[in-house]
Every structure is written in C-alpha cells, then in structure tokens.
Amino acid sequence: MQRRTFLTGTLLGAAFAAGLPAGASAAEARVTSLGALQNAIDRAAPGDRIVLANGTYTVPAGGAISVFGKNGTTAQPITITAESRGGAVLQGERGFVFADSSNITVSGFSFRQRTTLEIPASCPRIRLTRNDFRFADISGLDWVVVRGDDAKIDRNHFHEKTTEGIFVVVDGPGSTAVAQRLHVFKNHFSDHRFAGANGGEPIRLGVSGRALSGAHAVVEYNLFERCDGDPETISVKSSDNTIRHNTIRDSLGGIVLRHGNRTTVDGNYLLGGTDGLRLYGNDHLVVNNYLGGLTGRALTIGSGTTRDHHTGETTEQRRGNDACDRAVIVHNTLFGNARTLTGETRDHEPRDVVLADNLLVGDAGSLVAMGKTTGFTWQSNILWGSASDGSLPADGYVRTDPRLQQASDGVFRLAAGSPAIGAATFDGVSVAEDIDGHPRGSARDIGADEYATSAPVRRPLTAADVRGGAAVARPPDGGRARRGGGRAQRPGRLRHAARGARAGV
C-alpha cells in the first residue's frame, strides 16, 4: 500500500494551498493528501462527497482532521469516505475532530489513532459507518465517546484491545444529561482481552450519574465475539433503551442493566460464554432471549444496596445497585447453563417481578436459586432436566420434557408435539413474534421459540451478517409459519448449544 505522510504543521482549521483535483464536480472531491482533505472539508456544502485515496496517512502531533462548523442536512449529509473500505489508514495522535457540525458521515476508514474519537454535544446526527477501529492499545483509552444526539454507529469492526478502555461510550452534556437516540447496529465487536475486573466493556450506555436520564438508545443486530474485557458486554447505565437481536458469543460478559429504568431486552442470543443477563432498576421488559451453554450465571434478578436511585444522591450512593423491581420476564429460553436463574443477597430484595412462559432446561445445580423476593408472579414456566427446582413455587411451573431439537445453527428449538406449543398464558404484554422473527399468533408457545416448519427469519449472527451492509430480513406476513427437521432432544443428559455455531440472518 502506498504510504502518504503529512508533516507540515497542524490541520486544525488551517487553510492549505492544496486545492481540489482538476475536473472534480462540486458534489464530489477526490483528494490524495491530508492537506487536500482538510481543504475539501472546509469548503464542503450539504450533499458533498469527499473521497480520500487509499494509503496510510499520519496526522502529526498536535494536529487533527477538523470538521468545524460544517452542516449537512438529513437528506443531504456531507460524506467523508475512503476510496475503498478500509483502504485509507489514519494513524498518529488524532483522526477526525468535530465541533459545531451536524449531518456528517465518516465511512470506510481504518482508524489507528492514539486518542479518543469524540462526537461532542454540539454535533448532532454524526454517522460512523463501515470503518475499522483498532486504536493504539493504550490503557484507559476509550475509543469512541458519544455526547451528541442522534448519532449512528453501524457496520464497523471494533477489535483487538488488551488494556482497560471501552470501545463505545455514551455520555452527555453537563453532569446528568445523556446523548439522545443513539443507534448502534450491525457492528462487529471482537477480541477485547483486558484481564482486569472492570473497565473493558465493548458498549457502555451512560454512567452512574446519568442513569435516571432517558437515553432512548437502540443497540441491535450487533455481533460480539471473545469480548472478555469486562463481565458486562453491553453495560446499560441510563434509562429507556432497547437492546435487541444481538448475538454475544464465547464472551465473558453479558447484557447488564446496571443502572437505570425501563429498558427492553428483546430477542438476543447469548451463546457459549460466561454470563448472561443481569438486571437492576425498575420496569424492564426481558422477552424472547436465548441463553445457552453459559458457564456462569445465565439470568440474575439483582438485589440492591438501595431500593431506588434518586436525584441528589452522592457519587458513592449512585455507584451501588438498586434492586430490580417490576421487571416483566417472559418467553425466554435458558438451556444448558451452569447456573440458570439466580438472585443475590444485598439488603433490598427484588420486588413485584413477573416470570411467565419461560423455558428453563438444565442439568447443573438448581434451575432456580433466587433467595429472598417479594411479590413475584410465577406463571406457566416449563422446567426440565436433572437439576433441582430450587426456590420456584410449585404453582409457577410444570416439569415436563419440552422436546427440544438442535438446528444447524446450534440452537435448540421446539419439536413437533412439544407441550410448550400453545401453552403460554401470560397476557400482560403483547409479544407479536418470537426470537426467530416468526409471528406468535393468538396461541403462543412457551419459551423464546415459536414452533414452525419454515426457516428462521433471524438466526444467531456471524461476521458475514454484519459490517457488510446487507439488509436485515423482516418477518414474514400472514399466518403462523411452521418449522421442522432436526433431532428431538429426549430426557436425560442435555446437549449444550455448540460454541461457534454459524448461520446467516
């Protein structure tokens, strides 16, 4: 690859002699140096597209590629892109620095910088798409920090970190506000190998002091593999978020609603790693998730050092957990995990949680070991396997073989004749489709899967499903589809969902 190095002073706001190439239209500028790139950005108007030739570019110490006071529109963003995806490598102290700008798209770069890429509060509607992020492996360095509203981060690869630091952090202006409506979708997060106990999350939505603020972020269709830098792969420390249709595979961390209220966790696959879902805070919805082959705790309904967080708390008070109250946990499948459904022993027990129409299958320990609870509703759950029933009330479940069969993607789904088919009874929330994207209809099945003979619309994600920009298939319209094939799982020792199962979405 041709190496291009810019060494003559700072790029911050400077005007460079290098002009646009001859013959370039007003709508597209093709540039071959950092100086020409900066010049093109300084002159950009809504709808313009700036293309940087492939090569390796070194931003000098103290310099940056500045995007200051540049505003596209929603219909006509300003696009800054590499000639081919990953072909323009940006190294040095910084890459892009944004201020007072909006509707900017940055696409196709390989980022190798040594400082954080920040989307500040003055910059709404910034999009980072189809980039490769592998920053310098500096301890404590967070790679992308979002403070601006309506940012999009999609189809990127974040990978290879061995030190403390987070791939994507959502923050906000002031001390309690949080960036609004971040959309993180179809990214690949892999190989975070920080060995410490905390501080190596792939995604953290908020921070303790901002937890009561609604972020309204959507994190969907992302793949996480070998994310071992923290027990929390997706760490939620804000309110009113949606975490759906992600796949976490072979990773230490799970999805943790650490602080905040009213988050939905829907249709995620957690396969062959350590921890699954851990819940704190109030009024969450957990539906249609599949947790298989986890060696730690699959689903934990947390107790608290306090009943609820509130405004005016000290920093130390805010760090503690608040108990999980009024969560609704329905239509989930927990299969072959070391610890299936567990509680904790802090002073404030979880209260008024609904657990209904879930499928718990396992051979290890107790299927349910909740500890102290208050006002729980247990309804129409199925338990199976040699593990004991633990603390689950006898009227909250039936013990029967759910007749599971393993598909080519390693996931165990319902076979024909399963007693789970049509047996769901909880009607407190509307669940229109299952984890696979099949409609549930009026006679719903217990667990994350609705029995069908047609192929799943959604499966566990692979690297081929993300980063490439392929459209996500939508569920079929019309009646209740049926799926068949595979081998029914009979009573006795359970077959754990295979690590590294592969299938397209």
Side-chain angles (χ1 to χ4, degrees), residues 90 109-113 131-137 143 157-161 167 193:
L90 300 178
F109 291 92
S110 291
F111 288 95
R112 302 294 184 262
Q113 64 196 64
N131 301 290
D132 184 275
F133 289 91
R134 188 178 179 181
F135 285 20
D137 201 3
W143 288 7
H157 189 194
F158 294 83
H159 60 113
E160 305 298 337
K161 186 166 177 58
F167 287 152
R193 296 185 294 272

PDB file of all heavy atoms in Angstrom, residues 90 109-113 131-137 143 157-161 167 193:
ATOM      1  N   LEU A  90      -5.676   5.901   8.906  1.00  0.00           N
ATOM      2  CA  LEU A  90      -5.357   7.135   9.613  1.00  0.00           C
ATOM      3  C   LEU A  90      -4.637   6.783  10.901  1.00  0.00           C
ATOM      4  O   LEU A  90      -5.198   6.117  11.775  1.00  0.00           O
ATOM      5  CB  LEU A  90      -6.632   7.917   9.923  1.00  0.00           C
ATOM      6  CG  LEU A  90      -7.480   8.343   8.718  1.00  0.00           C
ATOM      7  CD1 LEU A  90      -8.735   9.073   9.193  1.00  0.00           C
ATOM      8  CD2 LEU A  90      -6.681   9.220   7.769  1.00  0.00           C
ATOM      9  N   PHE A 109     -12.877   4.190   6.772  1.00  0.00           N
ATOM     10  CA  PHE A 109     -11.504   4.413   7.205  1.00  0.00           C
ATOM     11  C   PHE A 109     -11.028   3.308   8.153  1.00  0.00           C
ATOM     12  O   PHE A 109     -11.823   2.680   8.853  1.00  0.00           O
ATOM     13  CB  PHE A 109     -11.382   5.771   7.903  1.00  0.00           C
ATOM     14  CG  PHE A 109     -11.558   6.945   6.982  1.00  0.00           C
ATOM     15  CD1 PHE A 109     -12.813   7.516   6.812  1.00  0.00           C
ATOM     16  CD2 PHE A 109     -10.487   7.458   6.274  1.00  0.00           C
ATOM     17  CE1 PHE A 109     -12.993   8.597   5.950  1.00  0.00           C
ATOM     18  CE2 PHE A 109     -10.657   8.536   5.417  1.00  0.00           C
ATOM     19  CZ  PHE A 109     -11.902   9.105   5.251  1.00  0.00           C
ATOM     20  N   SER A 110      -9.721   3.119   8.194  1.00  0.00           N
ATOM     21  CA  SER A 110      -9.093   2.285   9.211  1.00  0.00           C
ATOM     22  C   SER A 110      -8.466   3.225  10.234  1.00  0.00           C
ATOM     23  O   SER A 110      -7.504   3.936   9.916  1.00  0.00           O
ATOM     24  CB  SER A 110      -8.032   1.372   8.589  1.00  0.00           C
ATOM     25  OG  SER A 110      -8.615   0.384   7.783  1.00  0.00           O
ATOM     26  N   PHE A 111      -9.019   3.244  11.434  1.00  0.00           N
ATOM     27  CA  PHE A 111      -8.554   4.161  12.466  1.00  0.00           C
ATOM     28  C   PHE A 111      -7.486   3.479  13.317  1.00  0.00           C
ATOM     29  O   PHE A 111      -7.731   2.426  13.906  1.00  0.00           O
ATOM     30  CB  PHE A 111      -9.722   4.598  13.350  1.00  0.00           C
ATOM     31  CG  PHE A 111     -10.671   5.551  12.685  1.00  0.00           C
ATOM     32  CD1 PHE A 111     -11.828   5.092  12.066  1.00  0.00           C
ATOM     33  CD2 PHE A 111     -10.399   6.906  12.674  1.00  0.00           C
ATOM     34  CE1 PHE A 111     -12.711   5.980  11.453  1.00  0.00           C
ATOM     35  CE2 PHE A 111     -11.274   7.803  12.067  1.00  0.00           C
ATOM     36  CZ  PHE A 111     -12.429   7.343  11.449  1.00  0.00           C
ATOM     37  N   ARG A 112      -6.326   4.127  13.420  1.00  0.00           N
ATOM     38  CA  ARG A 112      -5.201   3.593  14.192  1.00  0.00           C
ATOM     39  C   ARG A 112      -4.639   4.674  15.118  1.00  0.00           C
ATOM     40  O   ARG A 112      -3.454   4.689  15.402  1.00  0.00           O
ATOM     41  CB  ARG A 112      -4.115   3.064  13.255  1.00  0.00           C
ATOM     42  CG  ARG A 112      -4.576   1.974  12.294  1.00  0.00           C
ATOM     43  CD  ARG A 112      -4.973   0.706  13.017  1.00  0.00           C
ATOM     44  NE  ARG A 112      -5.328  -0.378  12.107  1.00  0.00           N
ATOM     45  CZ  ARG A 112      -6.570  -0.692  11.773  1.00  0.00           C
ATOM     46  NH1 ARG A 112      -7.586   0.000  12.272  1.00  0.00           N
ATOM     47  NH2 ARG A 112      -6.809  -1.694  10.945  1.00  0.00           N
ATOM     48  N   GLN A 113      -5.484   5.579  15.600  1.00  0.00           N
ATOM     49  CA  GLN A 113      -5.019   6.739  16.348  1.00  0.00           C
ATOM     50  C   GLN A 113      -4.764   6.416  17.804  1.00  0.00           C
ATOM     51  O   GLN A 113      -5.061   5.316  18.285  1.00  0.00           O
ATOM     52  CB  GLN A 113      -6.036   7.868  16.226  1.00  0.00           C
ATOM     53  CG  GLN A 113      -7.396   7.554  16.840  1.00  0.00           C
ATOM     54  CD  GLN A 113      -8.459   8.530  16.341  1.00  0.00           C
ATOM     55  OE1 GLN A 113      -8.778   8.562  15.159  1.00  0.00           O
ATOM     56  NE2 GLN A 113      -9.000   9.317  17.262  1.00  0.00           N
ATOM     57  N   ASN A 131     -16.324   1.472   9.070  1.00  0.00           N
ATOM     58  CA  ASN A 131     -14.933   1.735   9.428  1.00  0.00           C
ATOM     59  C   ASN A 131     -14.341   0.558  10.192  1.00  0.00           C
ATOM     60  O   ASN A 131     -15.061  -0.294  10.715  1.00  0.00           O
ATOM     61  CB  ASN A 131     -14.845   2.993  10.304  1.00  0.00           C
ATOM     62  CG  ASN A 131     -15.410   4.218   9.609  1.00  0.00           C
ATOM     63  OD1 ASN A 131     -14.830   4.727   8.661  1.00  0.00           O
ATOM     64  ND2 ASN A 131     -16.561   4.696  10.085  1.00  0.00           N
ATOM     65  N   ASP A 132     -13.019   0.543  10.266  1.00  0.00           N
ATOM     66  CA  ASP A 132     -12.298  -0.459  11.045  1.00  0.00           C
ATOM     67  C   ASP A 132     -11.587   0.274  12.181  1.00  0.00           C
ATOM     68  O   ASP A 132     -10.726   1.127  11.942  1.00  0.00           O
ATOM     69  CB  ASP A 132     -11.285  -1.202  10.162  1.00  0.00           C
ATOM     70  CG  ASP A 132     -10.592  -2.315  10.915  1.00  0.00           C
ATOM     71  OD1 ASP A 132      -9.585  -2.036  11.613  1.00  0.00           O
ATOM     72  OD2 ASP A 132     -11.042  -3.462  10.810  1.00  0.00           O
ATOM     73  N   PHE A 133     -11.971  -0.053  13.425  1.00  0.00           N
ATOM     74  CA  PHE A 133     -11.411   0.622  14.592  1.00  0.00           C
ATOM     75  C   PHE A 133     -10.443  -0.324  15.300  1.00  0.00           C
ATOM     76  O   PHE A 133     -10.838  -1.368  15.819  1.00  0.00           O
ATOM     77  CB  PHE A 133     -12.518   1.043  15.550  1.00  0.00           C
ATOM     78  CG  PHE A 133     -13.379   2.171  15.049  1.00  0.00           C
ATOM     79  CD1 PHE A 133     -14.533   1.900  14.322  1.00  0.00           C
ATOM     80  CD2 PHE A 133     -13.026   3.481  15.286  1.00  0.00           C
ATOM     81  CE1 PHE A 133     -15.336   2.943  13.859  1.00  0.00           C
ATOM     82  CE2 PHE A 133     -13.822   4.527  14.827  1.00  0.00           C
ATOM     83  CZ  PHE A 133     -14.970   4.257  14.105  1.00  0.00           C
ATOM     84  N   ARG A 134      -9.187   0.096  15.316  1.00  0.00           N
ATOM     85  CA  ARG A 134      -8.170  -0.620  16.086  1.00  0.00           C
ATOM     86  C   ARG A 134      -7.157   0.424  16.557  1.00  0.00           C
ATOM     87  O   ARG A 134      -6.089   0.584  15.995  1.00  0.00           O
ATOM     88  CB  ARG A 134      -7.499  -1.722  15.266  1.00  0.00           C
ATOM     89  CG  ARG A 134      -6.579  -2.610  16.083  1.00  0.00           C
ATOM     90  CD  ARG A 134      -5.967  -3.717  15.257  1.00  0.00           C
ATOM     91  NE  ARG A 134      -5.067  -4.548  16.042  1.00  0.00           N
ATOM     92  CZ  ARG A 134      -4.374  -5.569  15.573  1.00  0.00           C
ATOM     93  NH1 ARG A 134      -4.471  -5.904  14.283  1.00  0.00           N
ATOM     94  NH2 ARG A 134      -3.574  -6.261  16.360  1.00  0.00           N
ATOM     95  N   PHE A 135      -7.540   1.140  17.599  1.00  0.00           N
ATOM     96  CA  PHE A 135      -6.720   2.222  18.102  1.00  0.00           C
ATOM     97  C   PHE A 135      -5.461   1.660  18.759  1.00  0.00           C
ATOM     98  O   PHE A 135      -5.348   0.450  19.009  1.00  0.00           O
ATOM     99  CB  PHE A 135      -7.497   3.042  19.134  1.00  0.00           C
ATOM    100  CG  PHE A 135      -8.548   3.950  18.550  1.00  0.00           C
ATOM    101  CD1 PHE A 135      -9.062   3.750  17.286  1.00  0.00           C
ATOM    102  CD2 PHE A 135      -9.031   5.017  19.280  1.00  0.00           C
ATOM    103  CE1 PHE A 135     -10.030   4.586  16.750  1.00  0.00           C
ATOM    104  CE2 PHE A 135     -10.009   5.870  18.765  1.00  0.00           C
ATOM    105  CZ  PHE A 135     -10.505   5.649  17.497  1.00  0.00           C
ATOM    106  N   ALA A 136      -4.529   2.557  19.059  1.00  0.00           N
ATOM    107  CA  ALA A 136      -3.361   2.162  19.831  1.00  0.00           C
ATOM    108  C   ALA A 136      -3.815   1.552  21.152  1.00  0.00           C
ATOM    109  O   ALA A 136      -4.758   2.036  21.787  1.00  0.00           O
ATOM    110  CB  ALA A 136      -2.467   3.370  20.076  1.00  0.00           C
ATOM    111  N   ASP A 137      -3.151   0.489  21.573  1.00  0.00           N
ATOM    112  CA  ASP A 137      -3.584  -0.275  22.745  1.00  0.00           C
ATOM    113  C   ASP A 137      -3.076   0.400  24.018  1.00  0.00           C
ATOM    114  O   ASP A 137      -2.169  -0.087  24.694  1.00  0.00           O
ATOM    115  CB  ASP A 137      -3.097  -1.712  22.630  1.00  0.00           C
ATOM    116  CG  ASP A 137      -3.898  -2.659  23.509  1.00  0.00           C
ATOM    117  OD1 ASP A 137      -4.850  -2.201  24.155  1.00  0.00           O
ATOM    118  OD2 ASP A 137      -3.553  -3.855  23.544  1.00  0.00           O
ATOM    119  N   TRP A 143     -12.416   4.403  22.986  1.00  0.00           N
ATOM    120  CA  TRP A 143     -12.196   4.660  21.572  1.00  0.00           C
ATOM    121  C   TRP A 143     -13.173   5.669  20.986  1.00  0.00           C
ATOM    122  O   TRP A 143     -12.769   6.624  20.350  1.00  0.00           O
ATOM    123  CB  TRP A 143     -12.239   3.338  20.796  1.00  0.00           C
ATOM    124  CG  TRP A 143     -11.027   2.483  21.040  1.00  0.00           C
ATOM    125  CD1 TRP A 143     -10.022   2.705  21.943  1.00  0.00           C
ATOM    126  CD2 TRP A 143     -10.687   1.265  20.378  1.00  0.00           C
ATOM    127  NE1 TRP A 143      -9.082   1.701  21.898  1.00  0.00           N
ATOM    128  CE2 TRP A 143      -9.470   0.798  20.935  1.00  0.00           C
ATOM    129  CE3 TRP A 143     -11.305   0.509  19.398  1.00  0.00           C
ATOM    130  CZ2 TRP A 143      -8.850  -0.374  20.519  1.00  0.00           C
ATOM    131  CZ3 TRP A 143     -10.691  -0.671  18.977  1.00  0.00           C
ATOM    132  CH2 TRP A 143      -9.470  -1.106  19.522  1.00  0.00           C
ATOM    133  N   HIS A 157     -16.109  -2.470  12.494  1.00  0.00           N
ATOM    134  CA  HIS A 157     -15.451  -3.525  13.260  1.00  0.00           C
ATOM    135  C   HIS A 157     -14.595  -2.864  14.332  1.00  0.00           C
ATOM    136  O   HIS A 157     -13.691  -2.090  14.032  1.00  0.00           O
ATOM    137  CB  HIS A 157     -14.579  -4.388  12.344  1.00  0.00           C
ATOM    138  CG  HIS A 157     -14.052  -5.621  13.020  1.00  0.00           C
ATOM    139  ND1 HIS A 157     -13.041  -6.389  12.489  1.00  0.00           N
ATOM    140  CD2 HIS A 157     -14.400  -6.244  14.189  1.00  0.00           C
ATOM    141  CE1 HIS A 157     -12.793  -7.411  13.281  1.00  0.00           C
ATOM    142  NE2 HIS A 157     -13.612  -7.350  14.324  1.00  0.00           N
ATOM    143  N   PHE A 158     -14.890  -3.169  15.598  1.00  0.00           N
ATOM    144  CA  PHE A 158     -14.094  -2.733  16.738  1.00  0.00           C
ATOM    145  C   PHE A 158     -13.369  -3.967  17.273  1.00  0.00           C
ATOM    146  O   PHE A 158     -14.027  -4.934  17.683  1.00  0.00           O
ATOM    147  CB  PHE A 158     -14.986  -2.154  17.838  1.00  0.00           C
ATOM    148  CG  PHE A 158     -15.689  -0.871  17.474  1.00  0.00           C
ATOM    149  CD1 PHE A 158     -16.878  -0.890  16.747  1.00  0.00           C
ATOM    150  CD2 PHE A 158     -15.180   0.347  17.871  1.00  0.00           C
ATOM    151  CE1 PHE A 158     -17.539   0.286  16.430  1.00  0.00           C
ATOM    152  CE2 PHE A 158     -15.841   1.534  17.558  1.00  0.00           C
ATOM    153  CZ  PHE A 158     -17.012   1.508  16.832  1.00  0.00           C
ATOM    154  N   HIS A 159     -12.041  -3.920  17.323  1.00  0.00           N
ATOM    155  CA  HIS A 159     -11.358  -5.172  17.673  1.00  0.00           C
ATOM    156  C   HIS A 159      -9.941  -4.942  18.190  1.00  0.00           C
ATOM    157  O   HIS A 159      -9.341  -3.894  17.989  1.00  0.00           O
ATOM    158  CB  HIS A 159     -11.315  -6.099  16.454  1.00  0.00           C
ATOM    159  CG  HIS A 159     -10.590  -5.540  15.264  1.00  0.00           C
ATOM    160  ND1 HIS A 159      -9.402  -6.063  14.795  1.00  0.00           N
ATOM    161  CD2 HIS A 159     -10.882  -4.506  14.426  1.00  0.00           C
ATOM    162  CE1 HIS A 159      -9.010  -5.388  13.727  1.00  0.00           C
ATOM    163  NE2 HIS A 159      -9.882  -4.435  13.489  1.00  0.00           N
ATOM    164  N   GLU A 160      -9.459  -5.954  18.904  1.00  0.00           N
ATOM    165  CA  GLU A 160      -8.076  -6.079  19.355  1.00  0.00           C
ATOM    166  C   GLU A 160      -7.715  -5.014  20.382  1.00  0.00           C
ATOM    167  O   GLU A 160      -7.096  -3.996  20.084  1.00  0.00           O
ATOM    168  CB  GLU A 160      -7.103  -6.010  18.166  1.00  0.00           C
ATOM    169  CG  GLU A 160      -7.362  -7.004  17.062  1.00  0.00           C
ATOM    170  CD  GLU A 160      -7.240  -8.455  17.499  1.00  0.00           C
ATOM    171  OE1 GLU A 160      -6.551  -8.719  18.511  1.00  0.00           O
ATOM    172  OE2 GLU A 160      -7.845  -9.315  16.846  1.00  0.00           O
ATOM    173  N   LYS A 161      -8.091  -5.286  21.630  1.00  0.00           N
ATOM    174  CA  LYS A 161      -7.665  -4.442  22.747  1.00  0.00           C
ATOM    175  C   LYS A 161      -7.321  -5.334  23.927  1.00  0.00           C
ATOM    176  O   LYS A 161      -8.073  -6.261  24.250  1.00  0.00           O
ATOM    177  CB  LYS A 161      -8.760  -3.452  23.129  1.00  0.00           C
ATOM    178  CG  LYS A 161      -8.328  -2.431  24.190  1.00  0.00           C
ATOM    179  CD  LYS A 161      -9.329  -1.283  24.286  1.00  0.00           C
ATOM    180  CE  LYS A 161      -8.966  -0.289  25.396  1.00  0.00           C
ATOM    181  NZ  LYS A 161      -7.618   0.306  25.227  1.00  0.00           N
ATOM    182  N   PHE A 167     -14.858   0.317  23.956  1.00  0.00           N
ATOM    183  CA  PHE A 167     -14.971   0.572  22.522  1.00  0.00           C
ATOM    184  C   PHE A 167     -15.909   1.758  22.245  1.00  0.00           C
ATOM    185  O   PHE A 167     -15.549   2.671  21.515  1.00  0.00           O
ATOM    186  CB  PHE A 167     -15.476  -0.668  21.790  1.00  0.00           C
ATOM    187  CG  PHE A 167     -14.478  -1.783  21.657  1.00  0.00           C
ATOM    188  CD1 PHE A 167     -14.901  -3.100  21.556  1.00  0.00           C
ATOM    189  CD2 PHE A 167     -13.123  -1.537  21.613  1.00  0.00           C
ATOM    190  CE1 PHE A 167     -13.993  -4.140  21.412  1.00  0.00           C
ATOM    191  CE2 PHE A 167     -12.197  -2.565  21.479  1.00  0.00           C
ATOM    192  CZ  PHE A 167     -12.637  -3.876  21.377  1.00  0.00           C
ATOM    193  N   ARG A 193      -9.455  -8.245  25.246  1.00  0.00           N
ATOM    194  CA  ARG A 193      -8.826  -9.231  26.121  1.00  0.00           C
ATOM    195  C   ARG A 193      -8.268  -8.622  27.399  1.00  0.00           C
ATOM    196  O   ARG A 193      -7.405  -9.234  28.048  1.00  0.00           O
ATOM    197  CB  ARG A 193      -7.727  -9.953  25.348  1.00  0.00           C
ATOM    198  CG  ARG A 193      -8.250 -10.779  24.165  1.00  0.00           C
ATOM    199  CD  ARG A 193      -7.144 -11.588  23.496  1.00  0.00           C
ATOM    200  NE  ARG A 193      -6.162 -10.736  22.857  1.00  0.00           N
ATOM    201  CZ  ARG A 193      -6.261 -10.289  21.598  1.00  0.00           C
ATOM    202  NH1 ARG A 193      -7.310 -10.639  20.867  1.00  0.00           N
ATOM    203  NH2 ARG A 193      -5.331  -9.517  21.076  1.00  0.00           N
TER     204      ARG A 193
END
